[in-house]
């Protein structure tokens, strides 16, 4: 059987396709079919010849096999320092081998590559900073994921996730109408507490166009209201687009580059339509990476930049606090040991280490903020990055991967972890569930709202209450 | 034999090495693609240049980067070996006499004591790297025959050179084998992992541009990646 009915080389482009695949619980039949999925070696080799150019080829060739990358990888550390978890080995024995064999590999080998690409690398890019030759294995695994996706060897959830982007331009089945309705409804809920609060959809020439993670719409609508409250109190001239509001990209995790392009172009389309001064994205790491850092390249933008200046939520919040648009009541600052999770996607991969620390300096009483070690660009992945959180097939490996973050948090002695990233937030929630170390975790928005010093004119009037 | 090795083969080995590497350098940079690599090299030349220079410079300095500092023993062995392996061939007085004769130019030279010291330091560093390959599981799993071949190719010119230097046995024999193995090394550079002698600069420059342009440099990060 060259192609399965569920597991095949075709991307999912219809809502029915998504429903059908979802009905195959945990991808049981999907993975069964994968064992018999034929590898199109000609296509594989042709794709490699067209897309694997001097950067990756040189990396694979000049790797000195020195092993200095070993200790940089948290998955190597938590897996009993197994030599097979050394980054250089992982990529040489997968992508390196496919190239060596000119694409002539079988389904078993591709399934092995899939396991390595999605359960032994979160594309955190930490190893790239420890290689004397500057070899970034995370980038190569991203590339390998693209080859595997093209051949149909991709974890079930990510095949679905990429399909969601193709069908809904969102990582979940959230329609544009769902988004607008939910946002408006959530804002209405707070009209009494914050008189004058409103969300204007599709307002042109606003100072800020806000974009989100579809999970917020579906599972955490409170987050939308919190964003609105903070923009309202800060007096921002802001809007949300009715189309192109989703910043995330499970297609990036899946290696579905065509879907990545479709998704990011929907956001850029909104920018071009509404012409805001800036785009601000929610507290998500990979969403920022996809839309702001990698997205311009998928969309073919030669300057490597989105159509308008696009910043992460931590940059906006730090600025609002710095400029006094938002004021913190010193009495309400955090007075317990608290630590900060640096997201790989916008700290290691865009250098935004200072913004979140600046925010911490406003919201934490002096002496209570404890850094993780290592931190900033050298911080370890939360344990669930690169799609790892969402893949049922590799849940055991993911849970093991959480141990590094668990130990880092335990070493700080903090009982509260600030995680301005959905993936990190999820991973830390799961690590508490798995290992019960007695911690709490939070995004920035709810913490800041609780300690705001709200100007009189924005407070509800006595007789309104 | 001696005449052939110091005549045509000498010129040929240098030509193969330098022309070969010039070609590889050209092909490397021609093969960079802003869209495939997802780095806007041309759009931000200044940020790219700064990132590339910083990345190369810091990694050339012992303990210059966080990466070097986290593995101090490896760093010491690495630099002991590489400083000797670069400085001795280039700045040894004897080599420069030959260079002057054959090519009409020469580099500044170092004293014999310094050359001895650096040579032994390189050998010691190399032996440590060998030991590491044998002992550490994370390095052993990566090691293949080619890695041993390269270590041997690098070791031989040093060993034969030192044997000639101390006139152990037949000086003429050691000198001839020294020239032979040295030329073999030059021939091998463009076609093996030894190409890193040059491609290190290319690869580091690329990652430096990547971080300098896309991954932090334009947000004001000044670290070396």
């Amino acid at each position: 059987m060259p192609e399965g009915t569920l597991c095949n080389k075709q991307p999912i482009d219809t809502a029915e396709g998504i429903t059908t695949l979802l009905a195959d619980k945990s991808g049981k039949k999907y993975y069964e079919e994968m064992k018999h999925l034929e590898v199109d070696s000609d296509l594989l080799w042709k794709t490699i010849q067209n897309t694997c150019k001097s950067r990756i080829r040189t990396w694979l060739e000049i790797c000195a096999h020195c092993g200095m990358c070993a200790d940089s990888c948290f998955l190597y550390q938590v897996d009993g320092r197994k030599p097979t978890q050394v980054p250089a080995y992982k990529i040489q024995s997968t992508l390196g081998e496919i190239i060596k064999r000119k694409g002539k590999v079988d389904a078993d080998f591709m399934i092995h590559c899939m396991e390595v690409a999605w359960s032994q690398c979160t594309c955190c890019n930490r190893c790239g900073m420890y290689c004397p030759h500057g070899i970034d294995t995370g980038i190569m695994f991203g590339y390998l994921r693209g080859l595997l996706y093209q051949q149909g060897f991709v974890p079930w959830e990510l095949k679905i996730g990429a399909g969601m982007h193709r069908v809904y331009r969102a990582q979940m089945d959230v329609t544009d109408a769902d988004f607008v309705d939910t946002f408006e409804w959530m804002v209405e809920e707070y009209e009494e507490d914050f008189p004058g609060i409103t969300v204007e959809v599709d307002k042109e020439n606003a100072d800020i166009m806000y974009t989100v993670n579809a999970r917020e719409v579906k599972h955490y609508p409170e987050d939308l209201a919190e964003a609105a409250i903070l923009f309202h109190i800060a007096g921002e001239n802001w809007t949300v687009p009715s189309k192109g509001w989703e910043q995330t990209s499970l297609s990036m995790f899946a290696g579905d580059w065509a879907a990545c392009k479709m998704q990011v172009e929907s956001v850029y389309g909104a920018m071009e339509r509404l012409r805001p001064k800036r785009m601000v994205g929610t507290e998500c790491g990979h969403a920022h990476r996809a839309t702001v850092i990698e997205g311009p390249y998928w969309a073919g933008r030669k300057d490597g930049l989105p159509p308008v200046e696009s910043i992460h939520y931590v940059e906006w919040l730090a600025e609002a606090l710095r400029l006094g648009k938002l004021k913190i009541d010193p009495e309400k600052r955090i007075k317990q040991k608290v630590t900060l999770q640096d997201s790989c996607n916008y700290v290691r991969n865009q250098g935004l280490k200072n913004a979140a620390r600046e925010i911490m300096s406003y919201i934490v009483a002096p002496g209570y903020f404890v850094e993780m070690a290592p931190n900033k660009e050298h911080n370890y992945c939360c344990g669930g990055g690169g799609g790892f959180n969402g893949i049922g097939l590799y849940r055991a490996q993911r849970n093991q991967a959480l141990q590094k973050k668990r130990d880092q948090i335990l070493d700080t002695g903090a009982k509260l972890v600030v995680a301005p990233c959905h993936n990190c937030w999820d991973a830390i929630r799961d690590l508490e569930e798995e290992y019960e170390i007695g911690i709490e975790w939070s995004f920035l928005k709810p913490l800041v709202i609780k300690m705001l010093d709200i100007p009189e004119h924005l407070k509800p009037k006595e007789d309104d209450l | 034999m001696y005449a052939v090795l110091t005549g045509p083969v000498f010129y040929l080995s240098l030509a193969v090495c330098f022309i070969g590497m010039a070609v590889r350098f050209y092909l490397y940079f021609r093969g960079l693609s802003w869209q495939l690599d997802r780095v806007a090299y041309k759009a931000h030349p200044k940020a790219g240049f700064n990132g590339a220079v910083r990345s190369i410079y810091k990694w050339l300095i012992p303990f210059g980067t966080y990466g070097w500092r986290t593995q101090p023993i490896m760093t010491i062995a690495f630099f002991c070996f590489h400083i000797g392996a670069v400085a001795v061939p280039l700045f040894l007085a004897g080599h420069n006499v030959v260079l002057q004769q054959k090519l009409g130019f020469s580099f500044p030279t170092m004293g014999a004591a310094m050359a001895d010291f650096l040579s032994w330091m390189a050998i010691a560093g190399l032996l440590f790297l060998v030991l590491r390959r044998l002992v550490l599981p994370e390095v052993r799993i990566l090691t293949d025959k080619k890695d041993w071949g390269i270590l041997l190719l690098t070791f031989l010119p040093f060993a034969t050179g030192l044997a000639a230097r101390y006139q152990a046995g037949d000086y003429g024999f050691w000198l001839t084998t020294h020239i032979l193995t040295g030329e073999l090394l030059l021939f091998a550079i463009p076609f093996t992992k030894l190409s890193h002698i040059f491609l290190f600069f290319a690869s580091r420059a690329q990652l430096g541009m990547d971080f300098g342009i896309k991954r932090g440099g334009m947000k004001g990060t000044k670290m070396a990646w």
Side-chain angles (χ1 to χ4, degrees), chain B residues 118-181:
Chain B
L118 290 179
S119 300
W120 285 112
M121 192 176 88
I123 296 258
L126 189 113
L127 289 178
F128 180 85
L129 296 179
V130 167
L131 200 66
R132 228 177 137 263
R133 276 210 188 285
L134 292 170
V135 174
L136 297 181
E138 71 268 30
V139 190
R140 217 164 48 208
I141 193 171
L142 293 166
T143 303
D144 58 22
K145 280 184 196 146
K146 287 183 186 170
D147 296 318
W148 291 118
I150 296 230
L151 282 169
L152 185 67
L153 264 180
T154 324
F155 172 73
L156 286 176
F158 270 101
T160 52
L162 281 169
R165 152 81 181 90
Y166 293 110
Q167 315 216 338
D170 183 351
Y171 173 76
F173 169 78
W174 288 124
L175 185 66
T176 309
T177 46
H178 177 64
I179 297 168
L180 176 71
T181 53

XYZ file of all heavy atoms in Angstrom, chain B residues 118-181:
517
model
N 55.796 25.319 20.966
C 54.483 25.265 20.319
C 54.228 23.898 19.682
O 53.104 23.393 19.692
C 54.358 26.371 19.262
C 54.261 27.805 19.798
C 54.171 28.796 18.643
C 53.064 27.965 20.723
N 55.280 23.300 19.148
C 55.115 21.981 18.529
C 54.720 20.938 19.559
O 53.807 20.133 19.346
C 56.407 21.526 17.850
O 56.766 22.453 16.857
N 55.421 20.944 20.678
C 55.093 19.961 21.723
C 53.705 20.244 22.308
O 52.964 19.326 22.651
C 56.161 19.942 22.815
C 57.413 19.251 22.343
C 58.620 19.811 22.108
C 57.540 17.851 22.028
N 59.515 18.872 21.652
C 58.869 17.659 21.597
C 56.685 16.757 22.046
C 59.351 16.405 21.204
C 57.160 15.510 21.652
C 58.478 15.349 21.234
N 53.402 21.512 22.390
C 52.079 21.885 22.884
C 50.997 21.346 21.941
O 49.974 20.817 22.371
C 52.009 23.413 22.959
C 50.835 23.960 23.707
S 50.952 25.772 23.808
C 50.136 26.242 22.305
N 51.254 21.461 20.643
C 50.282 20.971 19.660
C 50.133 19.457 19.761
O 49.024 18.923 19.719
C 50.720 21.369 18.252
N 51.282 18.774 19.895
C 51.238 17.309 20.011
C 50.453 16.918 21.264
O 49.613 16.015 21.241
C 52.673 16.733 20.092
C 53.418 17.032 18.794
C 52.634 15.254 20.423
C 53.537 15.907 17.818
N 50.719 17.620 22.354
C 50.023 17.308 23.614
C 48.520 17.537 23.431
O 47.695 16.707 23.842
C 50.573 18.177 24.740
N 48.170 18.658 22.802
C 46.750 18.956 22.565
C 46.114 17.885 21.691
O 45.004 17.416 21.965
N 46.855 17.479 20.672
C 46.337 16.472 19.753
C 46.128 15.131 20.467
O 45.105 14.466 20.276
C 47.316 16.294 18.586
C 46.798 15.428 17.453
C 46.595 16.264 16.207
C 47.741 14.288 17.136
N 47.076 14.783 21.310
C 46.933 13.522 22.048
C 45.721 13.575 22.972
O 45.000 12.591 23.142
C 48.211 13.207 22.847
C 49.404 12.793 21.982
C 50.646 12.551 22.838
C 49.083 11.540 21.148
N 45.478 14.756 23.530
C 44.299 14.893 24.385
C 43.022 14.702 23.566
O 42.085 14.035 23.987
C 44.286 16.253 25.073
C 43.086 16.435 25.952
C 43.088 15.970 27.269
C 41.925 17.023 25.467
C 41.964 16.106 28.078
C 40.797 17.160 26.258
C 40.816 16.707 27.573
N 43.026 15.275 22.361
C 41.845 15.123 21.495
C 41.633 13.647 21.124
O 40.507 13.158 21.054
C 41.982 15.974 20.220
C 42.038 17.495 20.431
C 42.194 18.221 19.093
C 40.795 18.000 21.159
N 42.750 12.942 20.914
C 42.664 11.508 20.622
C 42.072 10.769 21.819
O 41.154 9.952 21.692
C 44.056 10.944 20.272
C 44.043 9.423 20.277
C 44.521 11.470 18.925
N 42.590 11.110 22.981
C 42.139 10.466 24.214
C 40.636 10.677 24.411
O 39.892 9.763 24.752
C 42.918 11.076 25.388
C 42.953 10.250 26.661
C 43.742 8.967 26.410
C 43.600 11.052 27.796
N 40.221 11.915 24.164
C 38.821 12.268 24.289
C 37.956 11.400 23.373
O 36.913 10.904 23.766
C 38.679 13.736 23.850
C 37.901 14.601 24.778
C 37.915 16.025 24.271
N 36.580 16.577 24.418
C 35.689 16.637 23.474
N 35.969 16.218 22.279
N 34.495 17.137 23.723
N 38.431 11.223 22.146
C 37.695 10.399 21.186
C 37.565 8.963 21.662
O 36.592 8.290 21.362
C 38.419 10.388 19.831
C 38.100 11.556 18.973
C 38.165 11.275 17.491
N 38.029 12.534 16.776
C 36.890 13.187 16.632
N 35.776 12.674 17.113
N 36.848 14.337 16.027
N 38.594 8.489 22.374
C 38.582 7.099 22.821
C 37.741 6.914 24.069
O 37.113 5.886 24.268
C 40.015 6.619 23.096
C 40.920 6.486 21.872
C 42.367 6.241 22.307
C 40.447 5.350 20.975
N 37.752 7.928 24.920
C 37.184 7.735 26.254
C 35.735 8.209 26.395
O 34.910 7.522 26.994
C 38.070 8.451 27.305
C 37.437 8.401 28.678
C 39.453 7.817 27.323
N 35.417 9.379 25.854
C 34.088 9.936 26.105
C 33.029 9.310 25.188
O 33.154 9.402 23.967
C 34.094 11.459 25.895
C 34.987 12.292 26.820
C 34.849 13.776 26.493
C 34.655 12.038 28.271
N 31.993 8.720 25.763
C 30.965 8.074 24.931
C 30.312 9.030 23.953
O 29.997 8.639 22.827
C 29.930 7.581 25.940
C 30.592 7.639 27.268
C 31.710 8.611 27.196
N 30.128 10.305 24.371
C 29.445 11.250 23.482
C 30.313 11.644 22.298
O 29.818 12.165 21.307
C 28.951 12.488 24.250
C 30.016 13.455 24.739
C 30.489 13.136 26.149
O 30.465 11.938 26.532
O 30.897 14.073 26.874
N 31.618 11.439 22.401
C 32.497 11.735 21.270
C 32.729 10.445 20.465
O 32.790 10.458 19.238
C 33.849 12.305 21.743
C 34.647 12.838 20.546
C 33.631 13.425 22.748
N 32.809 9.322 21.203
C 33.064 8.038 20.536
C 31.975 7.713 19.519
O 32.234 7.255 18.425
C 33.160 6.935 21.590
C 34.211 5.898 21.247
C 34.563 5.062 22.442
N 33.380 4.575 23.150
C 33.368 4.313 24.440
N 34.437 4.474 25.175
N 32.265 3.874 25.012
N 30.725 8.014 19.891
C 29.621 7.649 18.991
C 29.689 8.434 17.680
O 29.205 7.981 16.642
C 28.259 7.860 19.687
C 27.152 7.179 18.863
C 27.950 9.350 19.879
C 25.816 7.120 19.535
N 30.315 9.610 17.716
C 30.397 10.439 16.512
C 31.590 10.071 15.642
O 31.627 10.367 14.455
C 30.527 11.916 16.911
C 29.325 12.564 17.600
C 29.734 13.889 18.238
C 28.200 12.786 16.617
N 32.576 9.420 16.271
C 33.859 9.224 15.595
C 33.791 8.158 14.513
O 33.267 7.073 14.737
C 34.921 8.831 16.644
O 34.949 9.857 17.634
C 36.295 8.689 16.011
N 34.306 8.493 13.343
C 34.396 7.489 12.285
C 35.829 7.424 11.751
O 36.716 8.141 12.224
C 33.382 7.773 11.169
C 33.581 9.155 10.543
O 34.695 9.698 10.653
O 32.627 9.688 9.949
N 36.029 6.570 10.760
C 37.386 6.346 10.246
C 38.011 7.640 9.731
O 39.200 7.876 9.877
C 37.339 5.326 9.106
C 37.255 3.896 9.597
C 37.309 2.941 8.405
C 36.820 1.554 8.846
N 36.108 0.866 7.768
N 37.165 8.474 9.104
C 37.690 9.722 8.550
C 38.277 10.604 9.640
O 39.272 11.293 9.420
C 36.581 10.468 7.816
C 36.198 9.851 6.492
C 35.145 10.712 5.834
C 34.620 10.058 4.569
N 33.448 10.780 4.072
N 37.632 10.602 10.816
C 38.151 11.435 11.906
C 39.551 10.984 12.294
O 40.433 11.788 12.561
C 37.219 11.360 13.123
C 35.853 11.936 12.802
O 35.790 12.978 12.146
O 34.849 11.324 13.204
N 39.746 9.662 12.330
C 41.082 9.147 12.665
C 42.069 9.484 11.558
O 43.221 9.819 11.821
C 41.032 7.632 12.890
C 40.284 7.263 14.143
C 39.145 6.521 14.236
C 40.615 7.642 15.488
N 38.735 6.412 15.546
C 39.622 7.083 16.335
C 41.633 8.395 16.061
C 39.631 7.259 17.718
C 41.639 8.561 17.437
C 40.641 8.005 18.244
N 41.606 9.375 10.341
C 42.469 9.688 9.197
C 42.987 11.116 9.277
O 44.173 11.390 9.059
N 42.077 12.020 9.627
C 42.452 13.435 9.697
C 43.427 13.687 10.835
O 44.391 14.443 10.694
C 41.177 14.262 9.906
C 40.334 14.073 8.680
C 41.500 15.707 10.237
C 39.817 15.228 8.040
N 43.176 13.020 11.967
C 44.104 13.188 13.086
C 45.492 12.687 12.692
O 46.500 13.314 13.010
C 43.583 12.446 14.324
C 42.458 13.173 15.074
C 41.819 12.259 16.114
C 42.989 14.438 15.753
N 45.514 11.568 11.979
C 46.798 11.007 11.553
C 47.491 11.958 10.560
O 48.678 12.242 10.701
C 46.570 9.631 10.891
C 47.837 8.861 10.508
C 48.595 8.449 11.765
C 47.489 7.630 9.673
N 46.716 12.448 9.597
C 47.272 13.380 8.607
C 47.878 14.622 9.264
O 48.851 15.185 8.782
C 46.166 13.844 7.653
C 46.005 13.126 6.321
C 44.847 13.742 5.549
C 47.281 13.214 5.500
N 47.250 15.043 10.354
C 47.730 16.237 11.050
C 48.916 15.918 11.944
O 49.820 16.725 12.117
C 46.605 16.821 11.928
O 45.373 16.652 11.243
C 46.828 18.277 12.225
N 48.890 14.709 12.486
C 49.943 14.307 13.422
C 51.275 14.081 12.695
O 52.339 14.470 13.187
C 49.499 13.017 14.138
C 50.562 12.392 14.999
C 50.921 12.979 16.209
C 51.194 11.219 14.595
C 51.902 12.400 17.003
C 52.180 10.648 15.385
C 52.526 11.237 16.590
N 51.203 13.484 11.504
C 52.429 13.067 10.818
C 53.423 14.204 10.529
O 54.617 14.063 10.819
C 52.094 12.303 9.534
C 51.578 10.879 9.775
C 51.177 10.215 8.461
C 52.611 10.027 10.513
N 52.990 15.326 9.984
C 53.972 16.394 9.733
C 54.643 16.863 11.026
O 55.841 17.158 11.032
C 53.132 17.527 9.133
C 51.910 16.873 8.611
C 51.655 15.703 9.501
N 53.870 16.885 12.116
C 54.472 17.287 13.393
C 55.495 16.265 13.870
O 56.615 16.609 14.266
C 53.389 17.470 14.460
C 52.855 18.863 14.501
C 51.648 19.185 13.914
C 53.584 19.876 15.125
C 51.173 20.474 13.930
C 53.105 21.169 15.149
C 51.895 21.476 14.547
N 55.096 14.992 13.822
C 55.989 13.929 14.313
C 57.265 13.870 13.484
O 58.379 13.839 14.036
C 55.249 12.591 14.272
N 57.108 13.898 12.173
C 58.299 13.802 11.321
C 59.146 15.075 11.426
O 60.376 15.016 11.425
C 57.898 13.575 9.846
O 56.944 14.586 9.477
C 57.277 12.205 9.652
N 58.472 16.187 11.556
C 59.189 17.455 11.702
C 60.017 17.471 12.972
O 61.190 17.873 12.970
N 59.420 16.984 14.069
C 60.173 16.956 15.324
C 61.311 15.945 15.259
O 62.404 16.190 15.779
C 59.224 16.636 16.491
C 58.384 17.826 16.973
C 57.295 17.371 17.929
C 59.262 18.886 17.638
N 61.056 14.807 14.594
C 62.112 13.791 14.458
C 63.292 14.386 13.685
O 64.453 14.191 14.048
C 61.582 12.549 13.745
N 62.987 15.143 12.656
C 64.064 15.786 11.889
C 64.754 16.843 12.743
O 65.970 16.948 12.773
C 63.483 16.413 10.625
N 63.943 17.594 13.471
C 64.463 18.673 14.319
C 65.472 18.130 15.332
O 66.535 18.699 15.558
C 63.270 19.340 15.019
C 63.525 19.983 16.370
C 64.121 21.362 16.209
N 64.393 22.008 17.471
C 65.522 21.921 18.148
N 66.484 21.137 17.716
N 65.703 22.604 19.270
N 65.153 16.980 15.936
C 66.065 16.415 16.941
C 67.049 15.435 16.315
O 67.777 14.751 17.014
C 65.267 15.755 18.072
C 64.483 16.776 18.877
C 63.096 16.853 18.811
C 65.161 17.694 19.698
C 62.394 17.801 19.539
C 64.458 18.644 20.427
C 63.079 18.699 20.341
O 62.409 19.642 21.055
N 67.026 15.348 14.987
C 67.935 14.484 14.237
C 67.940 13.068 14.794
O 69.003 12.469 15.028
C 69.348 15.079 14.236
C 69.327 16.569 13.951
C 70.487 17.027 13.124
O 71.523 16.394 13.056
N 70.307 18.155 12.447
N 66.730 12.545 15.024
C 66.616 11.170 15.525
C 66.813 10.221 14.357
O 65.943 10.100 13.504
C 65.234 10.958 16.148
N 67.961 9.576 14.304
C 68.237 8.658 13.202
C 68.623 9.414 11.943
O 69.354 10.399 11.993
N 68.026 8.982 10.819
C 68.409 9.504 9.517
C 67.702 10.828 9.236
O 66.519 10.866 8.920
C 68.040 8.439 8.457
C 68.480 8.870 7.068
O 68.900 10.035 6.892
O 68.397 8.023 6.160
N 68.433 11.908 9.328
C 67.833 13.242 9.146
C 67.174 13.363 7.775
O 66.038 13.854 7.657
C 68.907 14.327 9.307
C 68.405 15.706 8.964
C 67.584 16.411 9.855
C 68.729 16.322 7.739
C 67.109 17.675 9.547
C 68.257 17.587 7.418
C 67.450 18.258 8.330
O 66.970 19.501 8.027
N 67.867 12.887 6.758
C 67.353 12.993 5.393
C 66.010 12.305 5.238
O 65.067 12.827 4.617
N 65.902 11.131 5.849
C 64.649 10.379 5.777
C 63.516 11.173 6.421
O 62.434 11.325 5.867
C 64.821 9.021 6.469
C 63.514 8.292 6.662
C 62.909 7.627 5.590
C 62.872 8.283 7.898
C 61.698 6.978 5.762
C 61.666 7.637 8.062
C 61.070 6.970 6.994
N 63.785 11.679 7.609
C 62.724 12.410 8.326
C 62.343 13.693 7.593
O 61.174 14.051 7.533
C 63.162 12.750 9.756
C 63.200 11.540 10.650
C 64.262 11.080 11.366
C 62.116 10.637 10.924
N 63.936 9.947 12.069
C 62.613 9.651 11.808
C 60.797 10.546 10.481
C 61.817 8.605 12.288
C 60.009 9.503 10.964
C 60.516 8.558 11.848
N 63.335 14.334 7.025
C 63.034 15.572 6.297
C 62.141 15.273 5.084
O 61.128 15.948 4.852
C 64.337 16.255 5.840
C 64.099 17.624 5.179
C 63.536 18.630 6.187
C 65.390 18.163 4.566
N 62.515 14.210 4.351
C 61.715 13.850 3.179
C 60.293 13.470 3.588
O 59.305 13.933 2.981
C 62.363 12.675 2.413
O 63.733 13.006 2.190
C 61.661 12.431 1.082
N 60.146 12.646 4.600
C 58.788 12.249 5.019
C 58.029 13.453 5.580
O 56.813 13.553 5.436
C 58.796 11.124 6.083
O 59.756 11.449 7.086
C 59.096 9.774 5.475
N 58.747 14.372 6.187
C 58.092 15.580 6.697
C 57.495 16.387 5.529
O 56.341 16.809 5.586
C 59.095 16.436 7.473
C 58.506 17.728 7.968
N 57.491 17.763 8.889
C 58.772 19.031 7.652
C 57.150 19.034 9.130
N 57.929 19.817 8.386
N 58.292 16.543 4.503
C 57.803 17.308 3.341
C 56.635 16.563 2.685
O 55.596 17.147 2.365
C 58.945 17.547 2.327
C 60.038 18.393 2.989
C 58.425 18.225 1.066
C 61.326 18.466 2.198
N 56.822 15.252 2.557
C 55.772 14.438 1.931
C 54.462 14.539 2.707
O 53.399 14.806 2.135
C 56.239 12.977 1.857
C 55.219 11.985 1.305
C 55.023 12.201 -0.193
C 55.656 10.537 1.552
N 54.526 14.355 4.011
C 53.279 14.361 4.797
C 52.680 15.766 4.861
O 51.459 15.920 4.879
C 53.517 13.810 6.216
O 54.609 14.528 6.814
C 53.826 12.328 6.193
